[in-house]
Amino acid sequence: MFIAIDGIDGSGITTHCKLLCNWIESLGLKVHLTKEPSSGKIGELIRHYLKLKDIPAAVDALLFAADRVEHCIEIKSYLDKGYIVISDRYVESSRAYQVAEGLPPDWVDLINRYAITPDLNIILDVEPRIALKRKFGRDIGDEKFEELEFLTRVREIMLKNARLRNYPIVDTNKSIEEVHRSLREIILGKFRDVGIII
Ligand code: TYD
């Protein structure tokens, strides 16, 4: 099973992905945690570019999509070995961030055509102001997308896409424990649906 978790910066994706992995392991299941941007060469380049801020949106989109093509090779290899794979960010981040940068949604979908479709895509939702305060203690971070107005746009697009595709949306204004419990319930439901646990 392939699970992707997306949200705006500061929504708690990394924290919750780690907690979920520990919990899945405790159920006796094999789990692989991975993330985008990846730790590969293209992921490294993306991290460098995120600090520069003046990179054209289409370059961002193409780099994230290229990084994802490589990332999918890794994901597939773990899925083939029977692992549950959790990705900290995936295509929904491109569908929201790069569209919020002004790119056409159809084109973003097209360049992500070779990305494996997750079995479950969860969106973590939080007020951008709270998210930025949580992450940086102020309304702006150091990287390109970490800014209130932009993240407000990203959030709107991400929520709209999530509703269209029926993805579960989890409110992360709540405590870490409460959010973790909600996430567990969603994932347990999916595990039962596909017979991973009874
Ligand atoms: P982030 O998860 O914040 O990385 P880290 O926690 O290691 O700093 O991701 C970096 C940024 O990249 C974040 O602002 C979201 C953005 N992003 C996109 O714009 N498009 C994408 O497709 C992905 C995966 C991330």
Side-chain angles (χ1 to χ4, degrees):
M1 177 178 292
F2 176 29
I3 302 168
I5 305 191
D6 290 279
I8 62 167
D9 288 78
S11 58
I13 311 171
T14 303
T15 304
H16 284 292
C17 283
K18 284 183 187 151
L19 288 171
L20 287 172
C21 276
N22 292 341
W23 165 65
I24 292 171
E25 263 177 355
S26 77
L27 297 177
L29 299 166
K30 291 192 291 186
V31 59
H32 175 67
L33 174 60
T34 181
K35 83 170 268 115
E36 292 190 2
S38 76
S39 52
K41 280 271 171 279
I42 305 172
E44 248 174 56
L45 186 62
I46 293 173
R47 281 181 198 290
H48 173 69
Y49 275 15
L50 285 172
K51 298 261 182 272
L52 302 180
K53 301 190 182 183
D54 57 351
I55 306 300
V59 174
D60 288 334
L62 290 165
L63 284 177
F64 281 115
D67 188 36
R68 194 161 290 129
V69 172
E70 286 194 342
H71 188 206
C72 279
I73 297 170
E74 176 196 327
I75 293 171
K76 189 174 179 309
S77 80
Y78 278 94
L79 291 174
D80 288 348
K81 285 184 274 187
Y83 279 75
I84 290 161
V85 176
I86 299 193
S87 187
D88 170 338
R89 293 197 178 281
Y90 195 61
V91 179
E92 288 310 315
S93 285
S94 285
R95 287 194 176 125
Y97 281 79
Q98 276 59 66
V99 171
E101 285 191 88
L103 295 173
D106 290 357
W107 184 70
V108 174
D109 278 345
L110 183 68
I111 60 172
N112 281 288
R113 184 165 163 178
Y114 297 111
I116 304 170
T117 304
D119 299 293
L120 177 62
N121 210 138
I122 304 174
I123 304 299
L124 302 188
D125 181 49
V126 67
E127 280 280 327
R129 201 181 291 276
I130 295 174
L132 284 166
K133 276 260 149 46
R134 227 188 237 171
K135 200 165 172 188
F136 307 105
R138 57 200 167 109
D139 277 359
I140 193 156
D142 308 318
E143 286 185 354
K144 183 170 177 179
F145 303 126
E146 295 164 344
E147 189 261 318
L148 187 60
E149 212 180 298
F150 182 75
L151 288 184
T152 303
R153 219 159 48 238
V154 172
R155 180 193 191 202
E156 270 168 29
I157 299 167
M158 203 176 266
L159 288 178
K160 192 171 132 229
N161 290 341
R163 287 185 193 117
L164 276 172
R165 297 182 165 86
N166 270 326
Y167 295 153
I169 300 168
V170 176
D171 176 6
T172 62
N173 286 306
K174 298 184 181 148
S175 72
I176 292 185
E177 292 71 24
E178 269 178 285
V179 174
H180 179 59
R181 264 201 306 277
S182 305
L183 290 168
R184 272 159 82 145
E185 262 172 45
I186 293 166
I187 293 174
L188 269 179
K190 192 72 189 179
F191 282 178
R192 289 200 183 101
D193 282 353
V194 299
I196 289 183
I197 57 168
I198 324 159

